[in-house]
């Protein structure tokens, strides 16, 4: 059960990190046409060709239902694929980072290179985008930079989420038991004489992050002093 929770936690943090990387990539793609050299006035309809995710929606609907989707369907479906694709790469990164434990900067740039390689090989092979050789060099270079940015932001976000989670888990009240609380106290019943639930009492102290010292007097039962006359 704990292993399943850890995997689910990794997937969640990875998806969030991938969405953050996708947001950075999307922002860069929005300003990219304004940065590229233009022969004439900027025309978004002319200078921004149909994106691969929108083309994929069109191809899938045409193959399954034999009809072309509306502009609204293409826009919604394209956005879903765009963000889902980024989140999926984030999950892949999280699962890999959990095993590799590489420095975030290094692993993030590696992720960007893998995403960029996929965009320049697999995507053109599926005829969703032209190959890089048919694109302007400036556009190819800028897209490569944006893909590296995606990897770096994804890695840094995942690292921040993991650090925040670890910091919360280390707080006394951030989890049910502390490092001391994970150890069994064989003397619990002796520290609470006459109480068969002494171990449960000790566990309660551990849960609130305040394990009792070994020489602490019992709080469960008052000590009875016997005076010898």
């Amino acid at each position: 059960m704990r292993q399943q929770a850890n995997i689910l936690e990794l997937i969640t943090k990875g998806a969030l990190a991938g969405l953050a990387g996708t947001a950075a990539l999307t922002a860069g793609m929005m300003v990219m046409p304004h940065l590229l050299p233009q022969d004439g006035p900027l025309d978004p309809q002319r200078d921004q060709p149909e994106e691969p995710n929108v083309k994929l929606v069109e191809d899938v609907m045409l193959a399954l239902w034999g009809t072309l989707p509306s502009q609204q369907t293409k826009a919604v479906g394209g956005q879903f694929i765009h963000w889902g694709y980024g989140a999926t790469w984030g999950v892949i990164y999280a699962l890999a980072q959990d095993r590799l434990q590489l420095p975030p900067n290094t692993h993030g740039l590696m992720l960007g290179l893998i995403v960029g390689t996929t965009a320049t090989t697999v995507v053109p092979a599926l005829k969703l985008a032209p190959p890089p050789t048919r694109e302007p060099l400036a556009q190819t270079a800028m897209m490569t930079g944006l893909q590296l940015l995606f990897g770096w932001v994804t890695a840094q976000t995942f690292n921040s989420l993991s650090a925040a989670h670890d910091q919360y888990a280390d707080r006394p009240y951030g989890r049910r038991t502390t490092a001391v609380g994970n150890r069994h106290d064989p003397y619990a019943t002796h520290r609470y004489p006459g109480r068969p639930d002494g171990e449960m009492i000790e566990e309660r102290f551990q849960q609130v992050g305040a394990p009792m010292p070994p020489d602490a007097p019992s709080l469960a039962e008052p000590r009875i002093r016997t005076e010898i006359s």
Side-chain angles (χ1 to χ4, degrees):
M1 183 66 69
R2 178 59 183 168
Q3 185 177 3
Q4 293 179 351
N6 287 341
I7 294 177
L8 181 60
E9 184 180 294
L10 276 175
I11 291 175
T12 302
K13 289 189 293 187
L16 292 174
L19 290 175
T22 305
L25 175 67
T26 303
M29 292 178 64
M30 292 176 62
V31 301
M32 187 174 68
H34 300 274
L35 301 178
L36 293 173
Q38 303 292 333
D39 296 333
L42 178 65
D43 183 356
Q45 297 297 325
R46 181 199 65 203
D47 297 315
Q48 288 185 304
E50 196 169 56
E51 296 180 0
N53 50 334
V54 177
K55 183 72 165 55
L56 180 60
V57 173
E58 186 177 285
D59 291 347
V60 169
M61 291 198 64
L62 189 61
L64 294 179
W65 292 283
T67 58
L68 291 174
S70 64
Q71 292 297 326
Q72 182 178 3
T73 301
K74 287 198 296 183
V76 174
Q79 287 297 313
F80 180 80
I81 293 175
H82 175 66
W83 293 93
Y85 183 73
T88 301
W89 276 114
V91 172
I92 294 173
Y93 172 86
L95 296 176
Q97 180 67 354
D98 184 56
R99 291 183 173 273
L100 299 177
Q101 296 295 320
L102 295 175
N105 289 334
T106 302
H107 200 183
L109 293 178
M110 288 174 58
L111 174 65
L113 289 174
I114 294 173
V115 173
T117 302
T118 303
T120 57
T121 56
V122 177
V123 175
L126 296 175
K127 300 188 182 303
L128 298 175
T133 53
R134 292 174 51 188
E135 297 285 353
L137 180 60
Q139 179 175 331
T140 301
M142 190 164 293
M143 280 304 302
T144 301
L146 291 178
Q147 287 150 359
L148 292 175
L149 176 66
F150 165 81
W152 184 82
V153 172
T154 299
Q156 293 298 324
T157 303
F158 178 78
N159 187 57
S160 298
L161 291 173
S162 299
H165 176 269
D166 293 341
Q167 184 179 8
Y168 174 77
D170 287 339
R171 295 179 181 177
Y173 299 96
R175 51 183 178 178
R176 287 182 57 84
T177 58
T178 62
V180 176
N182 290 331
R183 296 200 301 267
H184 173 67
D185 181 6
Y187 302 104
T189 53
H190 297 286
R191 286 162 54 185
Y192 305 103
R195 293 294 299 269
D197 58 344
E199 188 171 338
M200 296 175 57
I201 298 172
E202 175 66 21
E203 181 183 356
R204 180 56 185 159
F205 278 111
Q206 295 167 351
Q207 288 175 356
V208 299
M212 298 293 292
D215 57 348
S218 170
L219 298 181
E221 292 244 349
R223 293 183 181 273
I224 301 176
R225 295 184 177 180
T226 304
E227 295 184 358
I228 301 176
S229 57

